[in-house]
Amino acid sequence: MLVLRALVFGILYTSVTRLQNIYVQSENISNGKYAKQSSTFSNKDASRALNKSFVSSGTLTKFASPSWWVVDLRGYFTVSSITLTAATDGGWNIYMRNAFVEVMDKDVSLCPDVQSEWCGNVSNTVTGGQEFTFTCNATFPVRFVRVTRPSTTNTFLVIGHVDVQGEGAKKPYRSYYKPLKNKKVSQPFLTMSAMTAGDCGIICHRCNSCIDFSYSAVSPADENCLLSDQIISGPVDNDTA
């Protein structure tokens, strides 16, 4: 009997410990992070959606199509759930209707080879303070969470609060960079704009397809950063760095 009791106690203790570990590891990873949106109406900037004290009025974009909001988690995470809470003031809650949520590994405005995963969308009826929780099955480490309100005409996007639950993950970088001068990409897969060679290297590092790059200080500003999906061993160009 004593052996049986010890066995049952051990199983219960292990189960509780596992639950506690899951609870501790999953946390609000969006708190205090950097957020931006397609536009800002009045003083209702994107950061308000990450501060629950502003949940009543939230964040508000200008009249546009589409309207979007995104948070940079400033690191890579495995996301377990994302909860959107509708604002409660002035009937603005209706401007979260049909918004959809997706997660990405990179900023879509910086590089085209973004991995993304659709997580779900808000219903077409939203009441003030209503919460919508979505689970994401992304197979890649996530850095950005984006909320978009699609529309064929101009519209607002209003979000009372955003809570992103998850835990840290490692990003499997594939970028390749050797700090050599006088090299040139003969057939770039992407032409970008950069202020310096260092900035060009950062752009390459953020793009999964890029493994090498060249930068020219004398080329037009909108095509001075050339990205390659192959290691550069081509002709020398004294204008590159």
Side-chain angles (χ1 to χ4, degrees):
M1 182 63 70
L2 291 177
V3 174
L4 180 59
R5 288 180 179 177
L7 181 60
V8 171
F9 177 79
I11 293 174
L12 290 174
Y13 177 80
T14 302
S15 300
V16 171
T17 301
R18 287 177 178 173
L19 288 173
Q20 288 176 338
N21 288 338
I22 293 172
Y23 177 79
V24 170
Q25 289 175 354
S26 184
E27 59 180 340
N28 184 357
I29 55 177
S30 58
N31 187 35
K33 302 300 174 62
Y34 174 72
K36 61 181 180 179
Q37 56 193 15
S38 53
S39 59
T40 299
F41 185 86
S42 187
N43 64 340
K44 294 181 173 60
D45 61 85
S47 64
R48 291 166 60 97
L50 299 178
N51 188 338
K52 206 155 190 179
S53 64
F54 293 115
V55 67
S56 58
S57 54
T59 179
L60 171 61
T61 67
K62 292 180 180 178
F63 212 45
S65 177
S67 294
W68 54 264
W69 177 97
V70 64
V71 58
D72 181 352
L73 299 174
R74 297 298 177 92
Y76 294 94
F77 298 86
T78 298
V79 173
S80 56
S81 68
I82 301 170
T83 300
L84 269 57
T85 304
T88 58
D89 287 355
W92 286 102
N93 50 280
I94 65 173
Y95 294 109
M96 200 174 79
R97 293 184 301 188
N98 300 317
F100 66 86
V101 181
E102 59 186 328
V103 293
M104 301 175 290
D105 65 336
K106 291 182 291 296
D107 187 341
V108 69
S109 66
L110 293 177
C111 194
D113 64 335
V114 174
Q115 295 185 87
S116 64
E117 180 72 26
W118 183 85
C119 303
N121 65 277
V122 175
S123 66
N124 59 6
T125 57
V126 178
T127 58
Q130 186 174 0
E131 294 185 350
F132 296 86
T133 299
F134 310 99
T135 56
C136 301
N137 298 314
T139 57
F140 54 86
V142 171
R143 177 166 173 173
F144 295 88
V145 175
R146 182 181 173 103
V147 181
T148 304
R149 189 160 187 255
S151 176
T152 55
T153 59
N154 291 338
T155 187
F156 298 106
L157 171 63
V158 179
I159 306 173
H161 186 251
V162 178
D163 184 301
V164 183
Q165 294 287 318
E167 57 186 77
K170 292 183 179 180
K171 170 67 176 176
Y173 286 112
R174 293 185 292 167
S175 299
Y176 176 86
Y177 169 55
K178 293 187 299 182
L180 302 178
K181 293 185 177 181
N182 302 325
K183 61 181 181 178
K184 182 180 180 181
V185 174
S186 57
Q187 293 183 329
F189 77 88
L190 186 64
T191 301
M192 302 289 286
S193 174
M195 294 293 292
T196 66
D199 290 336
C200 185
I202 291 172
I203 293 173
C204 177
H205 189 62
R206 288 174 173 171
C207 297
N208 280 349
S209 301
C210 181
I211 60 174
D212 214 344
F213 71 93
S214 67
Y215 172 83
S216 174
V218 297
S219 296
D222 59 346
E223 54 185 42
N224 59 7
C225 177
L226 308 180
L227 307 186
S228 174
D229 55 5
Q230 300 178 5
I231 297 175
I232 299 173
S233 58
V236 173
D237 186 330
N238 292 328
D239 293 333
T240 59

mmCIF file of all heavy atoms in Angstrom, residues 192-208:
data_model
loop_
_atom_site.group_PDB
_atom_site.id
_atom_site.type_symbol
_atom_site.label_atom_id
_atom_site.label_comp_id
_atom_site.label_asym_id
_atom_site.label_seq_id
_atom_site.Cartn_x
_atom_site.Cartn_y
_atom_site.Cartn_z
ATOM 1 N N MET A 192 18.578 46.402 -53.808
ATOM 2 C CA MET A 192 18.011 47.175 -52.714
ATOM 3 C C MET A 192 18.731 48.511 -52.563
ATOM 4 O O MET A 192 19.730 48.778 -53.243
ATOM 5 C CB MET A 192 18.136 46.388 -51.399
ATOM 6 C CG MET A 192 17.459 45.030 -51.411
ATOM 7 S SD MET A 192 15.662 45.134 -51.406
ATOM 8 C CE MET A 192 15.355 45.636 -49.704
ATOM 9 N N SER A 193 18.247 49.334 -51.659
ATOM 10 C CA SER A 193 18.874 50.612 -51.336
ATOM 11 C C SER A 193 19.437 50.555 -49.925
ATOM 12 O O SER A 193 18.777 50.070 -49.006
ATOM 13 C CB SER A 193 17.842 51.744 -51.437
ATOM 14 O OG SER A 193 18.393 52.975 -50.992
ATOM 15 N N ALA A 194 20.683 51.023 -49.750
ATOM 16 C CA ALA A 194 21.320 51.009 -48.435
ATOM 17 C C ALA A 194 22.201 52.252 -48.281
ATOM 18 O O ALA A 194 22.762 52.759 -49.260
ATOM 19 C CB ALA A 194 22.154 49.748 -48.254
ATOM 20 N N MET A 195 22.331 52.729 -47.046
ATOM 21 C CA MET A 195 23.147 53.912 -46.781
ATOM 22 C C MET A 195 24.635 53.590 -46.800
ATOM 23 O O MET A 195 25.453 54.370 -47.258
ATOM 24 C CB MET A 195 22.768 54.510 -45.419
ATOM 25 C CG MET A 195 21.353 55.068 -45.371
ATOM 26 S SD MET A 195 21.119 56.514 -46.425
ATOM 27 C CE MET A 195 22.148 57.704 -45.541
ATOM 28 N N THR A 196 24.990 52.412 -46.284
ATOM 29 C CA THR A 196 26.386 51.996 -46.188
ATOM 30 C C THR A 196 26.509 50.520 -46.537
ATOM 31 O O THR A 196 25.501 49.807 -46.646
ATOM 32 C CB THR A 196 26.944 52.223 -44.773
ATOM 33 O OG1 THR A 196 26.251 51.352 -43.869
ATOM 34 C CG2 THR A 196 26.783 53.675 -44.332
ATOM 35 N N ALA A 197 27.750 50.054 -46.684
ATOM 36 C CA ALA A 197 27.981 48.633 -46.924
ATOM 37 C C ALA A 197 27.493 47.804 -45.737
ATOM 38 O O ALA A 197 26.979 46.697 -45.909
ATOM 39 C CB ALA A 197 29.461 48.378 -47.181
ATOM 40 N N GLY A 198 27.631 48.350 -44.528
ATOM 41 C CA GLY A 198 27.149 47.657 -43.333
ATOM 42 C C GLY A 198 25.648 47.467 -43.354
ATOM 43 O O GLY A 198 25.130 46.408 -43.002
ATOM 44 N N ASP A 199 24.916 48.517 -43.806
ATOM 45 C CA ASP A 199 23.465 48.417 -43.911
ATOM 46 C C ASP A 199 23.072 47.363 -44.946
ATOM 47 O O ASP A 199 22.114 46.614 -44.757
ATOM 48 C CB ASP A 199 22.864 49.763 -44.300
ATOM 49 C CG ASP A 199 22.966 50.790 -43.192
ATOM 50 O OD1 ASP A 199 23.059 50.377 -42.024
ATOM 51 O OD2 ASP A 199 22.972 51.992 -43.494
ATOM 52 N N CYS A 200 23.837 47.305 -46.044
ATOM 53 C CA CYS A 200 23.576 46.304 -47.076
ATOM 54 C C CYS A 200 23.768 44.901 -46.507
ATOM 55 O O CYS A 200 22.995 43.988 -46.799
ATOM 56 C CB CYS A 200 24.509 46.542 -48.266
ATOM 57 S SG CYS A 200 24.199 45.467 -49.687
ATOM 58 N N GLY A 201 24.805 44.733 -45.689
ATOM 59 C CA GLY A 201 25.053 43.444 -45.055
ATOM 60 C C GLY A 201 23.930 43.037 -44.125
ATOM 61 O O GLY A 201 23.556 41.863 -44.056
ATOM 62 N N ILE A 202 23.357 44.009 -43.415
ATOM 63 C CA ILE A 202 22.245 43.730 -42.507
ATOM 64 C C ILE A 202 21.022 43.262 -43.305
ATOM 65 O O ILE A 202 20.323 42.322 -42.915
ATOM 66 C CB ILE A 202 21.898 44.969 -41.671
ATOM 67 C CG1 ILE A 202 23.027 45.258 -40.671
ATOM 68 C CG2 ILE A 202 20.575 44.778 -40.923
ATOM 69 C CD1 ILE A 202 22.864 46.563 -39.930
ATOM 70 N N ILE A 203 20.761 43.925 -44.444
ATOM 71 C CA ILE A 203 19.641 43.526 -45.299
ATOM 72 C C ILE A 203 19.831 42.092 -45.779
ATOM 73 O O ILE A 203 18.905 41.277 -45.760
ATOM 74 C CB ILE A 203 19.515 44.480 -46.500
ATOM 75 C CG1 ILE A 203 19.113 45.880 -46.026
ATOM 76 C CG2 ILE A 203 18.492 43.954 -47.506
ATOM 77 C CD1 ILE A 203 19.125 46.928 -47.112
ATOM 78 N N CYS A 204 21.070 41.764 -46.188
ATOM 79 C CA CYS A 204 21.372 40.401 -46.633
ATOM 80 C C CYS A 204 21.143 39.403 -45.495
ATOM 81 O O CYS A 204 20.574 38.338 -45.686
ATOM 82 C CB CYS A 204 22.815 40.327 -47.134
ATOM 83 S SG CYS A 204 23.358 38.671 -47.634
ATOM 84 N N HIS A 205 21.574 39.776 -44.296
ATOM 85 C CA HIS A 205 21.464 38.890 -43.144
ATOM 86 C C HIS A 205 20.018 38.580 -42.803
ATOM 87 O O HIS A 205 19.695 37.493 -42.317
ATOM 88 C CB HIS A 205 22.163 39.535 -41.954
ATOM 89 C CG HIS A 205 22.317 38.631 -40.769
ATOM 90 N ND1 HIS A 205 23.040 37.466 -40.807
ATOM 91 C CD2 HIS A 205 21.815 38.721 -39.509
ATOM 92 C CE1 HIS A 205 23.006 36.889 -39.616
ATOM 93 N NE2 HIS A 205 22.256 37.625 -38.818
ATOM 94 N N ARG A 206 19.128 39.526 -43.095
ATOM 95 C CA ARG A 206 17.720 39.353 -42.762
ATOM 96 C C ARG A 206 16.955 38.556 -43.812
ATOM 97 O O ARG A 206 15.820 38.147 -43.570
ATOM 98 C CB ARG A 206 17.060 40.723 -42.579
ATOM 99 C CG ARG A 206 17.485 41.430 -41.296
ATOM 100 C CD ARG A 206 16.924 42.828 -41.235
ATOM 101 N NE ARG A 206 17.186 43.453 -39.945
ATOM 102 C CZ ARG A 206 16.962 44.740 -39.671
ATOM 103 N NH1 ARG A 206 16.470 45.528 -40.606
ATOM 104 N NH2 ARG A 206 17.226 45.226 -38.483
ATOM 105 N N CYS A 207 17.546 38.363 -44.976
ATOM 106 C CA CYS A 207 16.874 37.635 -46.051
ATOM 107 C C CYS A 207 17.399 36.215 -46.128
ATOM 108 O O CYS A 207 18.596 36.003 -46.346
ATOM 109 C CB CYS A 207 17.098 38.337 -47.392
ATOM 110 S SG CYS A 207 16.421 39.997 -47.485
ATOM 111 N N ASN A 208 16.522 35.241 -45.970
ATOM 112 C CA ASN A 208 16.955 33.849 -45.980
ATOM 113 C C ASN A 208 17.635 33.451 -47.275
ATOM 114 O O ASN A 208 18.537 32.624 -47.284
ATOM 115 C CB ASN A 208 15.753 32.928 -45.732
ATOM 116 C CG ASN A 208 15.392 32.856 -44.264
ATOM 117 O OD1 ASN A 208 16.135 33.318 -43.405
ATOM 118 N ND2 ASN A 208 14.261 32.279 -43.960
#
